[in-house]
Amino acid sequence: MLKLYAMFLTLIFLVELVAAIVGFVFRHEIKDSFKNNYEKALKQYNATGDYRSNAVDKIQSTLHCCGATDFRDWKDTNYYIEKGFPKSCCKVEDCSPQRDADKVNNEGCFIKVMTIIESEMGVVAGISFGVACFQLIGIFLAYCLSRAITNNQYEIV
């Protein structure tokens, strides 16, 4: 049973290792995918509360940004044609949706999100390294205990 436990723990460790390598190798594709999906969410934005619109509003209001690259990204959307900028783009809290570019945040959300992700990458790497160390210790101790039990040839009573 200990050997089986150690094998499963080794398998999980290898899956985590492969996932980390794939994430590192394809990090640029992940950035491009995020940007494309964010731009798609802007084009399909509506104020009815679907999950994409809620995500766009949450990102824009939390990070004080507007659009993917800048506020001009909204000008190509149906929402802007009908109602103007969404409330989440506004610099002040109580502004209503409008078309005045001076009252909205100028900076785009993509750069801000990528900056936050890159700044927190050290923390993620540190936690991942710590988890990996505990897994390796668990694998090593399980094999040691299994070997000690096998070498001592305990009798079943």
Side-chain angles (χ1 to χ4, degrees), residues 68-84:
T69 53
D70 61 12
F71 68 93
R72 288 183 282 262
D73 293 337
W74 280 101
K75 294 185 178 182
D76 298 332
T77 64
N78 293 331
Y79 185 84
Y80 180 83
I81 294 168
E82 293 173 13
K83 300 179 182 178

Side-chain angles (χ1 to χ4, degrees), residues 45-73:
Y45 181 87
N46 58 32
T48 59
D50 67 329
Y51 70 97
R52 283 186 176 183
S53 299
N54 288 340
V56 168
D57 284 336
K58 185 74 171 173
I59 290 171
Q60 290 185 154
S61 61
T62 303
L63 299 180
H64 304 292
C65 56
C66 188
T69 53
D70 61 12
F71 68 93
R72 288 183 282 262
D73 293 337

Side-chain angles (χ1 to χ4, degrees), residues 29-122:
E29 285 81 1
I30 293 170
K31 285 182 183 181
D32 293 339
S33 175
F34 175 77
K35 187 172 184 179
N36 291 336
N37 284 326
Y38 194 79
E39 289 170 348
K40 186 178 178 182
L42 289 180
K43 293 203 184 307
Q44 296 176 351
Y45 181 87
N46 58 32
T48 59
D50 67 329
Y51 70 97
R52 283 186 176 183
S53 299
N54 288 340
V56 168
D57 284 336
K58 185 74 171 173
I59 290 171
Q60 290 185 154
S61 61
T62 303
L63 299 180
H64 304 292
C65 56
C66 188
T69 53
D70 61 12
F71 68 93
R72 288 183 282 262
D73 293 337
W74 280 101
K75 294 185 178 182
D76 298 332
T77 64
N78 293 331
Y79 185 84
Y80 180 83
I81 294 168
E82 293 173 13
K83 300 179 182 178
F85 293 108
K87 289 181 182 181
S88 58
C89 271
C90 296
K91 289 180 182 176
V92 291
E93 232 177 87
D94 60 342
C95 82
S96 61
Q98 37 71 31
R99 299 180 197 288
D100 187 9
D102 295 331
K103 294 183 180 179
V104 296
N105 295 306
N106 296 329
E107 195 172 356
C109 294
F110 176 72
I111 304 249
K112 284 194 168 192
V113 169
M114 287 301 123
T115 303
I116 290 171
I117 288 174
E118 289 170 0
S119 69
E120 300 298 328
M121 203 52 78

Side-chain angles (χ1 to χ4, degrees), residues 133-150:
C133 285
F134 279 115
Q135 285 179 317
L136 290 174
I137 290 169
I139 293 167
F140 175 73
L141 291 177
Y143 275 122
C144 286
L145 183 58
S146 173
R147 188 170 176 178
I149 291 171
T150 305

